[in-house]
Amino acid sequence: MRKIFGLILSIIAVICPMIITGCTVGRSGDDIKNLYTIIKNNHTDIDTGDNDIFDDSYTINISYIDRIENITLATADTSNAKNLYTLSNFYNSLFQAIFRYFENWNESFFNNIDKVSTGELGELYAKLNSLNLSLIDLSDAKQILEDAVVLNGVDNVSSHYITSYIYLLNNVVEDSIEFVQYFRELHMSHIFRDDTLSSNAVSRTIDEMNLTIARIIYIDNIRPFNLQNGEYKICDLSALVKAYNSGNQYARLDMLSKLNKELSDAMVNALTENNDPTRTGQATKYMHYSDILRQDILALDKIYQDIDYYKLSLYRFGLIEGGVDNYYIGLSYMDKLSYEFLDNLLDFVDNTYMPSYANIV
Amino acid sequence: MKRIFKIVLVTIIVVGLMLGAYFIFFHRDSNLSVYHSANNMIEYRHNYQFDSSLGGLVDLGYGENYANAFDDIEHRDLIIIREKLFVVDSADKLEGGTAESGLFYYYGYAKYEEAIFEGIKYYSTYTSLAGNAKFLAAKGHERQIEIYQGYFSQLTSMSRDIMNKQATLGIEGGITYPELLQDYINLRNSYRNALKSGAELLINLRDYVIEYAYNNNYEFSTSNVLYDSLASTIITATKADINQEINYLYDASEYIDKLHTYYSTSSISYGTVDEMQYLNAYKLMYFRDREDFDKIYTFTHFQKQDLITGNNIISAQIKIDFLSYARIVVDLLELR
């Protein structure tokens, strides 16, 4: 009897910590690197060796659907093809902003991996695996879409194939953000220790802010258009495109992309290490605004209400008549606060943060 | 048996006391009670139509012809009190004063209270991050929020009461000027107390956010510095003699003006210093010399100017190591 009791106790002793820690299995740095390799290989064409998700880097790059591209080049510039082409460019810029942090800091992270616990690495692994599954779903949807396009032509294809594909693409964006975001947290809490105004600190902040801006764009302009009703999952493509074409929302990403390209290491060094007071002042200001944005993003994560952002966005982009002000009046006060907070944050990004980044570039 | 019972009882009491002490002094509350209280208060004010009832009183006017009013000293006093309560003209400023005469341009209490309320909303958002605040700290703030909220109903009912009474002016058996004046004085006093309560709440919420939401690792922005400065100045004004408060409210109106400018243009002028210099000095004073930091806002407008120009009597009140930072903080005022 006592032996049985002991056995039960030992089982409980094993299970309890697993339950408490959310059943996360401990992992190593090699596990994560191996999984990344597996993910890349998953999307490599056996015959040609081409990879339609990744090139040599870690960054996701959704190649413009080949067979659609061929059709588009051969035919008139039809609306579906145009939309897909435009959006794939946009999504790739977004992925570049998201993965920039991982690209630039994974080496120092893996070189100092012993500072990170296996439990935390297990969590990171789980997030990468979630991204892996989303990418597999996306590849399946892409195959179906391509087949449908080949069969019917790009502008005669059922819109459901396209909207389902974009829905899954949005999930990939979300999982990418989750993965890199957690990587950043581990990197900051265990490895990166540089509070001074060094070129290293400025570079890291720029990479982090790329991720932050990508998150804001996702929250404000992508997530609202993903619609789910039971098994029926689509993205409202016409709203997404309308939002895209309205200009100002995506202008942030274009500007970010442009600034990233113009920023060189030499410039970052010059900012902080040649004692030029003007340049150092600009870098100080940029770092300060980045800190403020970081503070605000923390609050946004907490207060973001699950309001009907879809409907709100339709008003904002003129897809429903009546004007956003009328809809806004009907919101609860908490929802208004949430919306106002996001709105103020976007103003801050456009009017304060972006100009300070442009200044240092 | 009795002894065992006693031991069990004593153990229960001791454990109970220890648990009680733990929850009161050490336990960190994870239920975001301050955030929810603040948001309830904000929603309450919205639903209570606090502003519109006071707006009704403003629209009601003075009861009779304005131009003839100054012949009657009680009516003149009534007008002055109303001017003090509410925004008085299209320029949102009181006409007829100069800095030299000691009678400054200033907003009405309603305008100050509205700005303070916006500041409270600002910090309320960030209390969402203070999930691990100490139990007592959270409870203290909830109580303060309740007190401030209490003023909404009080002021609304007082203003509605005045509206009804004012309509009976000049009617036989209706209210007289001295009675109406007294009602306005009571309303003004309540408004002043509400202003003080709101300003203190704002400052305490700021400290709460900095300590518990950001673990004292906080970057000040221009907008929160302006809200803080507004609230600190108003606290001094509402603690001062009512005839002296104008010396502080002038600066408070400057902060509100700057807030409006900042929100509409995303930038303001920072006197003779750079924004970063200003924010760094503010941060340094806040974290390293809190005593002098708070003292700055107890200076009148002229004393602040003296601090900048190097007046020895005022300068001597600030620790020598922090004097240059204190001057930078005050320099924001020197716009005009």
Side-chain angles (χ1 to χ4, degrees):
Chain A
M1 187 64 187
R2 194 174 278 181
K3 276 184 182 172
I4 294 170
F5 185 65
L7 189 67
I8 292 169
L9 269 184
S10 58
I11 291 169
I12 292 171
V14 170
I15 291 173
C16 276
M18 286 181 72
I19 293 170
I20 291 165
T21 58
C23 293
T24 304
V25 180
R27 294 284 180 177
S28 67
D30 283 342
D31 288 338
I32 293 166
K33 283 195 266 191
N34 290 339
L35 179 59
Y36 229 124
T37 308
I38 291 168
I39 295 172
K40 281 186 170 187
N41 290 342
N42 279 345
H43 302 281
T44 305
D45 189 300
I46 300 167
D47 299 327
T48 63
D50 294 340
N51 193 316
D52 60 358
I53 300 286
F54 296 94
D55 48 28
D56 290 337
S57 69
Y58 289 101
T59 304
I60 291 174
N61 184 60
I62 303 295
S63 65
Y64 180 44
I65 300 171
D66 298 337
R67 283 179 279 179
I68 298 176
E69 185 174 27
N70 292 334
I71 291 162
T72 311
L73 291 173
T75 60
D77 190 12
T78 54
S79 61
N80 274 345
K82 192 177 175 186
N83 286 342
L84 281 170
Y85 181 74
T86 310
L87 287 176
S88 67
N89 281 345
F90 159 67
Y91 276 103
N92 285 335
S93 296
L94 194 65
F95 283 124
Q96 277 170 19
I98 294 168
F99 281 93
R100 185 182 169 95
Y101 197 100
F102 189 79
E103 291 285 357
N104 289 340
W105 301 98
N106 75 79
E107 198 177 327
S108 66
F109 181 82
F110 287 120
N111 287 342
N112 295 283
I113 201 84
D114 53 326
K115 293 179 181 169
V116 188
S117 75
T118 53
E120 287 168 323
L121 290 175
E123 184 79 13
L124 186 64
Y125 183 94
K127 288 184 188 300
L128 184 58
N129 198 39
S130 179
L131 175 59
N132 176 30
L133 298 176
S134 295
L135 281 168
I136 290 170
D137 287 344
L138 182 70
S139 284
D140 292 345
K142 185 181 172 188
Q143 188 63 48
I144 293 168
L145 173 60
E146 285 186 348
D147 291 346
V149 168
V150 169
L151 200 64
N152 302 308
V154 71
D155 269 319
N156 294 319
V157 73
S158 163
S159 64
H160 181 75
Y161 292 121
I162 300 176
T163 55
S164 302
Y165 170 76
I166 300 291
Y167 178 93
L168 294 169
L169 184 55
N170 293 347
N171 283 354
V172 171
V173 172
E174 179 156 346
D175 284 337
S176 300
I177 290 172
E178 291 273 318
F179 168 68
V180 182
Q181 185 71 23
Y182 190 62
F183 170 80
R184 187 209 73 86
E185 275 175 42
L186 296 182
H187 179 244
M188 277 303 285
S189 55
H190 297 300
I191 293 163
F192 191 86
R193 292 265 183 270
D194 196 348
D195 294 331
T196 58
L197 188 64
S198 65
S199 56
N200 224 19
V202 175
S203 296
R204 199 207 62 80
T205 302
I206 288 169
D207 297 341
E208 181 186 349
M209 289 300 112
N210 266 263
L211 175 62
T212 299
I213 303 289
R215 282 183 66 207
I216 293 170
I217 289 170
Y218 173 73
I219 289 171
D220 191 39
N221 295 128
I222 296 179
R223 186 157 73 181
F225 303 126
N226 252 13
L227 306 172
Q228 181 172 355
N229 186 2
E231 288 299 305
Y232 187 75
K233 297 170 185 173
I234 60 154
C235 171
D236 185 341
L237 187 61
S238 57
L240 189 74
V241 171
K242 181 88 176 177
Y244 180 88
N245 289 335
S246 73
N248 60 333
Q249 306 301 321
Y250 294 95
R252 291 184 195 104
L253 193 60
D254 290 340
M255 187 176 175
L256 197 66
S257 177
K258 180 173 167 284
L259 293 174
N260 289 339
K261 276 178 196 151
E262 288 180 9
L263 186 80
S264 65
D265 289 347
M267 273 183 192
V268 176
N269 288 334
L271 290 174
T272 52
E273 287 165 10
N274 69 355
N275 296 324
D276 176 345
T278 306
R279 299 294 279 159
T280 307
Q282 286 165 339
T284 307
K285 219 167 222 179
Y286 170 75
M287 295 295 272
H288 175 76
Y289 292 143
S290 300
D291 280 337
I292 304 256
L293 191 52
R294 195 181 292 127
Q295 284 177 182
D296 282 357
I297 282 292
L298 281 175
L300 180 69
D301 282 344
K302 282 279 182 185
I303 67 152
Y304 190 81
Q305 302 289 308
D306 198 14
I307 62 175
D308 193 348
Y309 258 90
Y310 174 61
K311 198 166 180 184
L312 183 62
S313 300
L314 294 184
Y315 276 110
R316 280 171 70 195
F317 299 113
L319 290 159
I320 299 181
E321 279 186 23
V324 68
D325 290 345
N326 291 335
Y327 182 70
Y328 178 79
I329 288 167
L331 290 176
S332 79
Y333 213 78
M334 291 285 278
D335 289 343
K336 276 182 185 163
L337 276 180
S338 169
Y339 178 66
E340 280 172 12
F341 188 85
L342 178 61
D343 215 36
N344 286 337
L345 194 145
L346 294 172
D347 277 349
F348 179 78
V349 168
D350 290 339
N351 301 323
T352 307
Y353 170 76
M354 282 298 196
S356 72
Y357 186 25
N359 253 342
I360 67 170
V361 168
Chain B
M1 190 65 187
K2 230 177 193 179
R3 199 174 162 194
I4 293 172
F5 179 73
K6 268 186 185 172
I7 290 170
V8 170
L9 192 67
V10 169
T11 308
I12 290 171
I13 291 170
V14 169
V15 171
L17 286 174
M18 284 169 69
L19 278 175
Y22 168 75
F23 276 106
I24 291 173
F25 298 109
F26 303 110
H27 176 68
R28 284 172 179 257
D29 193 1
S30 61
N31 62 12
L32 298 176
S33 55
V34 173
Y35 175 66
H36 293 304
S37 295
N39 278 308
N40 285 341
M41 178 270 288
I42 292 165
E43 189 140 10
Y44 178 83
R45 179 178 171 129
H46 175 67
N47 294 336
Y48 208 84
Q49 298 183 313
F50 171 73
D51 297 325
S52 62
S53 63
L54 292 170
L57 187 57
V58 178
D59 293 341
L60 196 60
Y62 300 96
E64 62 181 45
N65 187 289
Y66 184 90
N68 297 330
F70 287 92
D71 296 336
D72 180 343
I73 195 156
E74 285 160 340
H75 195 171
R76 190 202 64 191
D77 290 345
L78 192 63
I79 289 168
I80 289 171
I81 291 230
R82 281 185 56 100
E83 285 172 341
K84 205 164 191 175
L85 272 166
F86 305 113
V87 178
V88 289
D89 64 18
S90 59
D92 285 357
K93 296 284 170 69
L94 180 69
E95 294 288 348
T98 63
E100 288 73 26
S101 68
L103 178 64
F104 300 115
Y105 293 94
Y106 70 104
Y107 288 107
Y109 283 170
K111 200 75 178 172
Y112 287 115
E113 203 279 332
E114 192 183 298
I116 286 289
F117 178 67
E118 287 301 313
I120 289 170
K121 273 168 63 179
Y122 177 92
Y123 281 111
S124 296
T125 305
Y126 296 96
T127 59
S128 63
L129 295 169
N132 61 350
K134 282 180 185 155
F135 177 82
L136 272 187
K139 285 291 161 211
H141 285 83
E142 283 172 56
R143 179 76 194 121
Q144 258 200 316
I145 290 167
E146 277 172 28
I147 291 169
Y148 178 56
Q149 182 170 317
Y151 281 109
F152 303 157
S153 52
Q154 187 190 18
L155 292 173
T156 303
S157 67
M158 284 177 92
S159 57
R160 280 182 184 152
D161 187 45
I162 290 178
M163 264 192 277
N164 293 333
K165 285 181 180 171
Q166 191 167 314
T168 68
L169 256 180
I171 299 172
E172 198 177 335
I175 196 165
T176 63
Y177 267 117
E179 288 168 342
L180 187 60
L181 177 61
Q182 189 54 49
D183 281 349
Y184 267 109
I185 289 171
N186 294 342
L187 179 64
R188 181 198 62 188
N189 291 340
S190 291
Y191 230 128
R192 198 170 188 254
N193 290 335
L195 201 55
K196 181 164 171 273
S197 168
E200 286 174 345
L201 174 62
L202 190 155
I203 288 298
N204 289 334
L205 282 179
R206 174 201 63 186
D207 294 342
Y208 179 81
V209 163
I210 290 173
E211 183 173 357
Y212 294 113
Y214 293 105
N215 201 21
N216 288 321
N217 184 14
Y218 187 75
E219 288 299 327
F220 288 92
S221 67
T222 295
S223 51
N224 64 346
V225 164
L226 288 170
Y227 279 127
D228 297 354
S229 301
L230 170 69
S232 298
T233 305
I234 281 177
I235 288 170
T236 306
T238 49
K239 279 181 179 168
D241 181 276
I242 202 159
N243 297 313
Q244 296 300 317
E245 69 178 18
I246 193 100
N247 293 317
Y248 306 98
L249 290 180
Y250 172 69
D251 289 349
S253 66
E254 287 279 308
Y255 290 127
I256 297 176
D257 279 350
K258 290 185 183 78
L259 267 166
H260 289 165
T261 309
Y262 183 75
Y263 276 122
S264 57
T265 63
S266 293
S267 69
I268 58 167
S269 166
Y270 287 86
T272 59
V273 296
D274 172 75
E275 181 187 11
M276 283 301 107
Q277 251 188 306
Y278 177 73
L279 293 176
N280 287 337
Y282 191 87
K283 183 180 175 182
L284 193 132
M285 291 286 288
Y286 178 87
F287 283 110
R288 289 178 48 193
D289 185 18
R290 192 60 190 275
E291 188 189 348
D292 287 337
F293 175 82
D294 290 335
K295 196 186 288 171
I296 290 171
Y297 293 105
T298 65
F299 293 155
T300 64
H301 179 70
F302 290 122
Q303 286 172 327
K304 286 177 189 139
Q305 285 184 325
D306 284 347
L307 183 69
I308 294 173
T309 53
N311 177 297
N312 288 339
I313 296 168
I314 292 298
S315 298
Q317 294 187 42
I318 303 289
K319 290 182 199 74
I320 189 82
D321 291 351
F322 292 94
L323 194 54
S324 61
Y325 301 111
R327 282 182 181 141
I328 290 173
V329 169
V330 171
D331 201 25
L332 180 64
L333 276 173
E334 300 305 298
L335 264 181
R336 290 185 179 183

